[in-house]
Amino acid sequence: MMSIRQIATFLLLLTLAACAHKPKGYADEAMRWSNAQQLVLVTSADWNATNGELRRFERGDNGWTQVGDAMPITLGRTGTAWGIGLNAPRNDGPVKREGDGKSPAGVFAIGPAFGYAASARTGLDYKAMGTNDWCIDVPESAYYNRIVDRSVVKAPGLDKSSEPMRRDLHADGDQRYREGFVIEHNADGAVRQGGSCIFAHLWKAPGETTSGCTAMAPASMEDLLAWLDARRHPVFVQLPKAEYARLVHAWKLPEIAL
């Protein structure tokens, strides 16, 4: 029969073995966004939901505090799926792929703002889009998931891209990209077929879904851009409610009533 000391040692060894086999990054993944002082949170009913709510939070000495009211948003035409961002990779649910019509779930850095105007009222870096600016959604391209000026960049596959950033000029006056910002999913196209050109942008009409982005009313985007500040390391969190409830403490996210 094992002594109490032997049992304690055995249990300790089991714990260490379990930790050794835990996927790298899960234990400390919340540290990857621990410097974030602003958080944009999107929650939806489930993986298949095509609409949801967006909330803004600021982090101070007492934790996260909500700023303003929740805003309605629309998601991809087939809902959401795990994306490639700051959190450790996950496969305990659908996984986003190129062209699947799903918005990415997870925690993501917020990239630069963009739009049709020469400037915008925002604390994010801003890039005015021109007629030759396209986001490359062609997986075989060396510029996959990057916005490039096609009058300057020459590479095979660029002409196959279906993502002009000046949709007003190339898509019958479409205003969806008049204001928006980059959601850093699959940054630099590191995973081919992992999904590309993921933005927060204006919706075409209330309730109308996207190809995988997160869309909202012009007034909501105006408020959001004016509030966001790159110096505060903002992050974008997008999750179905059940996943949010499961991860809220481990990921040190704001407490909300679901």
Side-chain angles (χ1 to χ4, degrees), residues 177-190:
Y177 288 0
R178 179 168 57 84
E179 289 184 315
F181 59 85
V182 175
I183 299 170
E184 295 284 5
H185 159 76
N186 195 18
D188 298 323

Side-chain angles (χ1 to χ4, degrees), residues 116 167 174-179 201-204:
Y116 300 167
R167 297 187 62 85
D174 193 329
Q175 294 296 305
R176 279 176 284 184
Y177 288 0
R178 179 168 57 84
E179 289 184 315
H201 62 70
L202 307 183
W203 57 29
K204 189 173 183 179

Side-chain angles (χ1 to χ4, degrees), residues 196-214:
S196 61
C197 306
I198 303 298
F199 310 128
H201 62 70
L202 307 183
W203 57 29
K204 189 173 183 179
E208 184 162 330
T209 60
T210 73
S211 296
C213 295
T214 301

Side-chain angles (χ1 to χ4, degrees), residues 66-82:
Q66 184 168 333
V67 177
D69 298 325
M71 308 171 183
I73 56 88
T74 57
L75 297 164
R77 63 181 180 273
T78 58
T80 51
W82 286 119

Side-chain angles (χ1 to χ4, degrees), residues 105-140:
V107 183
F108 307 92
I110 290 178
F114 59 82
Y116 300 167
S119 62
R121 188 166 65 95
T122 183
L124 299 176
D125 293 336
Y126 178 81
K127 179 171 172 48
M129 295 290 104
T131 187
N132 289 310
D133 287 316
W134 290 63
C135 187
I136 307 305
D137 56 0
V138 182
E140 61 266 27

Side-chain angles (χ1 to χ4, degrees), residues 28-208:
D28 62 350
E29 59 187 330
M31 292 298 295
R32 300 179 187 183
W33 54 88
S34 61
N35 64 341
Q37 296 174 295
Q38 291 182 320
L39 185 146
V40 178
L41 171 63
V42 171
T43 54
S44 55
D46 53 43
W47 289 114
N48 297 315
T50 57
N51 57 68
E53 290 185 324
L54 181 150
R55 295 174 173 84
R56 296 176 287 159
F57 294 87
E58 294 180 343
R59 179 153 53 185
D61 294 339
N62 296 318
W64 292 109
T65 302
Q66 184 168 333
V67 177
D69 298 325
M71 308 171 183
I73 56 88
T74 57
L75 297 164
R77 63 181 180 273
T78 58
T80 51
W82 286 119
I84 305 163
L86 298 175
N87 56 281
R90 305 186 71 96
N91 57 11
D92 50 350
V95 176
K96 178 160 179 60
R97 303 293 291 169
E98 183 67 44
D100 62 3
K102 294 183 182 296
S103 299
V107 183
F108 307 92
I110 290 178
F114 59 82
Y116 300 167
S119 62
R121 188 166 65 95
T122 183
L124 299 176
D125 293 336
Y126 178 81
K127 179 171 172 48
M129 295 290 104
T131 187
N132 289 310
D133 287 316
W134 290 63
C135 187
I136 307 305
D137 56 0
V138 182
E140 61 266 27
S141 171
Y143 297 95
Y144 179 54
N145 200 25
R146 291 171 58 184
I147 297 174
V148 301
D149 182 341
R150 297 203 313 182
S151 68
V152 176
V153 174
K154 305 296 182 184
L158 293 193
D159 291 337
K160 297 179 183 178
S161 176
S162 61
E163 280 287 347
M165 297 304 295
R166 285 300 300 264
R167 297 187 62 85
D168 58 330
L169 303 178
H170 296 283
D172 300 322
D174 193 329
Q175 294 296 305
R176 279 176 284 184
Y177 288 0
R178 179 168 57 84
E179 289 184 315
F181 59 85
V182 175
I183 299 170
E184 295 284 5
H185 159 76
N186 195 18
D188 298 323
V191 178
R192 300 295 165 156
Q193 296 289 349
S196 61
C197 306
I198 303 298
F199 310 128
H201 62 70
L202 307 183
W203 57 29
K204 189 173 183 179
E208 184 162 330

